[in-house]
Amino acid sequence: MHGYISGISFFVVILGAFEVEDDSVFCEMLGSPELPLLFKKGDITIGGAFSIYSQISKINLREFRFAQAMMFAIEEINNSSTLLPNVTVGYKIFDSCGSTLPSTHAVMDLINGQKQNLVKTCNSQTSISHFATCACLSNRNEYPTFFRTIPSDYYQSRALAKLVKHFGWTWVGAVRSDNDYGNNGMATFITAASQEGICVEYSEAISRTGSTEQLERVVRVIQRGTARVLVAFLAQGEMDVLLEEALRQNLTGLQWVGSESWITSSHLANTRFSGILTGSLGFAIKKAKIKGLQEFLLQVHPNQDPQNNLLREFWETTFGCSFQSRLHGTEQCSGFERLQDANNVYTDVSELRISNNVYKAVHAVAHAMHSMFKCGQSGEAVNHSCKPLCCFSCVACAVGEISNSSNSAECSRCLLDFWSNDDHSKCVPKVIEFLSYGETMGALLTAFSLLGATLTLVVFFVFFRFRHTPLVKASNSELSFLLLFSLILCFLCSLTFIGQPTEWSCMLRHTAFGITFALCISCILAKTITVVVAFKANRPANTVPQCSASLQRTSVLGCTLVQVLVCVLWLVFAPPFPHKNAAHATEIIILECDLGSPVAFWVVLGYIGLLAVLCFILAFLARKLPDNFNEAKFITFSMLIFSAVWTTFIPAYVSSPGKFTVAVEIFAILASSFGLLFSIFAPKCYILLLKPEKNTKKHMMGRNSRPHIQ
């Protein structure tokens, strides 16, 4: 069994009452609340928080006995052959200083101290209190893992009301600690008292760290009140300061009804307070005998851990001596003093009440852990009677994790390419997603791509059929055929974006797109330049065709070669490559083409945009030239469509997830290609096929004749 639980850190925090809002600064002067006062390693670690320094002047021997009772119970468990065999129980004991803040520090240290184990071990944190009676801790929504071995004040407060009613006291005063313990307890008492027909004359609150003036005022209110029964729902610290002020103001003649915190406190049962507290009533915590505890308490000695300041302070407080020889007026401790000769609250085991709660809390944890470890062992079947080593049998593993047994100590994370099934019992391959030809969106885009290429091919044959007519000649037949060829390539290049990405398809899709569109826009730019040159030339008419032909070939070749050079550099230094994207959706792997160099992609796209802008500017300037059929008008309109499509593309491309990124890019390619095809060639096909009477040189040139372009 030892190997089965090795590395498990199950923290159960044994909490004392921390109802007192006292000066925790003094506690921090004695030692950091984040460091344990007493410590022992074990397979299972139980944490304890006790108000060891709750009295400012010296160590609190009563609370130190509680801590020793916890250690005794743990040693008893470790020596047992039947309870948690082969399992070592350790402990960390902290000082809560009787204050909320240091108590929180201690508990958080117990929990956070196991960060290094969170990945590979099962950690559970539960609080069990032996002395925290505040009913507020019973709220399961806020404190789902809090348990206790002492009843909450909800029951004590109602019982006190019935006790007061039993003796016929219907007119009472009330004083409480100004914290959750006192305020909640007194609120319950007042509600229960009103139901019993008891009237409360006043209800005052005090704090041990409050001002002297406030304390004096409260005692005066009690003394001047007409109620002779005083219900004191006070923590021991507040009770101490209240009694000191009551002695100073000679407060007597009251029947005290006390809460469990002070009603059985032995240090109050002395002649000094007898005139005030004699006859006090209240409900005590059940006492018990713990066999062997007294012998264990008497074994404590500073030599057990010479470096432990707590043990030295305990010894000095018990025997009124000091281990430092030069302290004036203090006897030096020899170390041979005997605890058997001491008669104080530490050695007195006749009234084991809270100590018994500590003892029970530790044993409750041990028996619970024993049942958990025993579950499923020795052939026993795991069933619902066994709340598991960890919570994986009642709470499913996190997404992407699996556990193949109900009492597994940890969940296993699936590999990158796998995901957990619905019941988190095994890892299954993640869904592979890419834009395929088989899905609806891929099929539609493929159909439009082929449709565009087919229509362009039809236009190509129409122009070839009418290549000798004036309209085709006026449209610059050489550039028109080259433009139609490039448009066919533009439509077909969108097909490289569909299907499972491969190394070659990734390199081809972006470079083919960049080069074909550069060729396409270069042709349109050359047509525009030729139109402007032809109509603006001052040279004789017969020199224009030769100049135009030379200019158009050079411009198309030069502009396209620039894009070819950019794409070659892109492929050489940082080519696109297939990539598995698991970041967008945890249960899906998106197969996509990584750009390799995003800068190169935007340079390619930006260069096409630059050509389009130049083309638009020139076409816009030539839009009012005097031909009846002025191609610059159609080029201007086509560039407006082209610019609108690609301007809209950029934000859509950046924000689209997964395969929709590819779909957006294909849509932009097809939309701009269709825009160019219809804007430039639809009017010409209309004349060629339906208005042949307008396909004449005279009609093409209009009234102000200019040389037409071959």
Side-chain angles (χ1 to χ4, degrees), residues 168-281:
W169 300 324
T170 57
W171 184 245
V172 301
V175 62
R176 67 188 187 277
S177 296
D178 192 11
N179 49 46
D180 285 344
Y181 168 73
N183 293 331
N184 290 335
M186 184 57 70
T188 303
F189 170 80
I190 292 176
T191 300
S194 64
Q195 295 172 352
E196 298 289 344
I198 300 169
C199 296
V200 178
E201 181 183 6
Y202 55 83
S203 179
E204 295 292 331
I206 63 172
S207 173
R208 179 170 61 171
T209 57
S211 64
T212 303
E213 292 78 8
Q214 172 68 9
L215 186 62
E216 291 174 350
R217 186 194 67 79
V218 171
V219 174
R220 286 196 299 271
V221 170
I222 296 173
Q223 196 166 36
R224 294 171 183 173
T226 58
R228 292 294 89 195
V229 177
L230 179 63
V231 178
F233 214 102
L234 298 168
Q236 187 169 309
E238 277 77 20
M239 188 62 183
D240 290 340
V241 297
L242 179 63
L243 287 176
E244 293 294 337
E245 183 60 27
L247 279 177
R248 197 183 69 81
Q249 295 192 29
N250 193 26
L251 176 64
T252 58
L254 291 178
Q255 171 62 54
W256 290 71
V257 178
S259 60
E260 94 297 336
S261 179
W262 64 268
I263 197 64
T264 58
S265 181
S266 59
H267 85 278
L268 298 180
N270 54 45
T271 55
R272 187 162 181 256
F273 299 125
S274 61
I276 299 176
L277 295 179
T278 298
S280 298
L281 294 174

Side-chain angles (χ1 to χ4, degrees), residues 294-422:
Q294 187 173 37
E295 291 76 8
F296 182 85
L297 295 176
L298 297 178
Q299 291 176 2
V300 174
H301 195 278
N303 290 339
Q304 291 176 335
D305 186 359
Q307 305 300 321
N308 193 313
N309 294 329
L310 176 63
L311 295 180
R312 291 203 305 272
E313 290 185 47
F314 160 71
W315 201 262
E316 291 172 344
T317 301
T318 300
F319 296 105
C321 60
S322 173
F323 283 101
Q324 300 180 18
S325 57
R326 295 184 180 180
L327 287 180
H328 178 71
T330 304
E331 182 181 351
Q332 185 175 2
C333 296
S334 65
F336 293 102
E337 295 85 0
R338 288 163 42 92
L339 285 176
Q340 290 86 339
D341 299 333
N343 183 19
N344 57 26
V345 68
Y346 172 78
T347 58
D348 183 11
V349 295
S350 62
E351 296 283 334
L352 296 180
R353 303 178 187 275
I354 302 170
S355 298
N356 184 49
N357 284 345
V358 176
Y359 181 82
K360 289 192 299 182
V362 175
H363 273 271
V365 172
H367 281 86
M369 294 296 294
H370 182 82
S371 298
M372 292 166 62
F373 292 143
K374 185 180 178 182
C375 186
Q377 302 294 316
S378 303
E380 295 183 17
V382 178
N383 53 52
H384 294 293
S385 64
C386 293
K387 308 320 170 218
L389 178 64
C390 290
C391 60
F392 304 134
S393 65
C394 54
V395 178
C397 293
V399 290
E401 296 181 350
I402 64 167
S403 176
N404 54 13
S405 60
S406 61
N407 63 342
S408 175
E410 62 182 11
C411 290
S412 302
R413 178 161 288 278
C414 296
L415 297 177
L416 182 63
D417 291 351
F418 292 83
W419 198 245
S420 55
N421 59 355
D422 291 339

Side-chain angles (χ1 to χ4, degrees), residues 527-559:
K527 288 171 70 70
T528 309
I529 293 174
T530 303
V531 169
V532 173
V533 170
F535 279 95
K536 297 296 183 180
N538 294 322
R539 295 186 179 92
N542 58 357
T543 65
V544 175
Q546 292 82 1
C547 179
S548 293
S550 176
L551 178 64
Q552 66 191 26
R553 295 189 186 99
T554 303
S555 62
V556 171
L557 181 62
C559 292

Side-chain angles (χ1 to χ4, degrees), residues 372-621:
M372 292 166 62
F373 292 143
K374 185 180 178 182
C375 186
Q377 302 294 316
S378 303
E380 295 183 17
V382 178
N383 53 52
H384 294 293
S385 64
C386 293
K387 308 320 170 218
L389 178 64
C390 290
C391 60
F392 304 134
S393 65
C394 54
V395 178
C397 293
V399 290
E401 296 181 350
I402 64 167
S403 176
N404 54 13
S405 60
S406 61
N407 63 342
S408 175
E410 62 182 11
C411 290
S412 302
R413 178 161 288 278
C414 296
L415 297 177
L416 182 63
D417 291 351
F418 292 83
W419 198 245
S420 55
N421 59 355
D422 291 339
D423 58 359
H424 301 275
S425 61
K426 64 178 181 179
C427 292
V428 295
K430 289 184 178 179
V431 177
I432 305 296
E433 183 180 272
F434 58 89
L435 186 61
S436 65
Y437 292 100
E439 60 182 295
T440 303
M441 183 165 57
L444 285 174
L445 292 174
T446 301
F448 278 107
S449 177
L450 296 177
L451 175 63
T454 303
L455 288 176
T456 308
L457 190 61
V458 170
V459 173
F460 187 94
F461 284 119
V462 170
F463 263 60
F464 184 78
R465 168 68 179 80
F466 296 98
R467 65 187 180 278
H468 299 300
T469 62
L471 186 145
V472 175
K473 290 182 179 181
S475 300
N476 196 324
S477 58
E478 182 179 347
L479 283 179
S480 295
F481 287 121
L482 186 57
L483 176 57
L484 287 168
F485 173 73
S486 65
L487 279 175
I488 293 175
L489 295 181
C490 288
F491 280 114
L492 294 179
C493 81
S494 63
L495 297 178
T496 63
F497 289 83
I498 306 175
Q500 182 172 342
T502 63
E503 186 174 349
W504 284 103
S505 68
C506 287
M507 291 190 293
L508 179 62
R509 63 171 57 171
H510 291 102
T511 54
F513 152 73
I515 294 173
T516 55
F517 265 86
L519 175 61
C520 180
I521 304 301
S522 297
C523 292
I524 299 175
L525 179 61
K527 288 171 70 70
T528 309
I529 293 174
T530 303
V531 169
V532 173
V533 170
F535 279 95
K536 297 296 183 180
N538 294 322
R539 295 186 179 92
N542 58 357
T543 65
V544 175
Q546 292 82 1
C547 179
S548 293
S550 176
L551 178 64
Q552 66 191 26
R553 295 189 186 99
T554 303
S555 62
V556 171
L557 181 62
C559 292
T560 306
L561 283 178
V562 172
Q563 188 76 300
V564 171
L565 178 61
V566 173
C567 290
V568 169
L569 293 175
W570 186 5
L571 294 177
V572 170
F573 293 103
F577 58 91
H579 170 65
K580 293 181 178 180
N581 184 355
H584 174 68
T586 53
E587 71 280 6
I588 296 175
I589 293 180
I590 300 173
L591 287 184
E592 60 186 14
C593 285
D594 191 286
L595 293 175
S597 173
V599 174
F601 171 76
W602 291 110
V603 168
V604 166
L605 196 63
Y607 181 70
I608 296 173
L610 176 63
L611 294 178
V613 170
L614 291 175
C615 190
F616 172 77
I617 293 174
L618 291 175
F620 181 80
L621 294 176

Side-chain angles (χ1 to χ4, degrees), residues 1-2 5 8-12 14 39-48 70-80 83-93 361-370 373:
M1 179 179 287
H2 177 74
I5 66 161
I8 294 178
S9 299
F10 186 95
F11 268 100
V12 179
I14 308 298
F39 170 76
K40 180 179 179 180
K41 291 184 177 180
D43 299 317
I44 302 170
T45 303
I46 299 180
M70 173 180 167
M71 296 166 59
F72 169 74
I74 291 175
E75 291 298 322
E76 193 176 63
I77 294 167
N78 286 334
N79 294 329
S80 173
L83 184 59
L84 291 176
N86 301 321
V87 176
T88 303
V89 182
Y91 54 80
K92 284 185 179 181
I93 296 178
V362 175
H363 273 271
V365 172
H367 281 86
M369 294 296 294
H370 182 82
F373 292 143

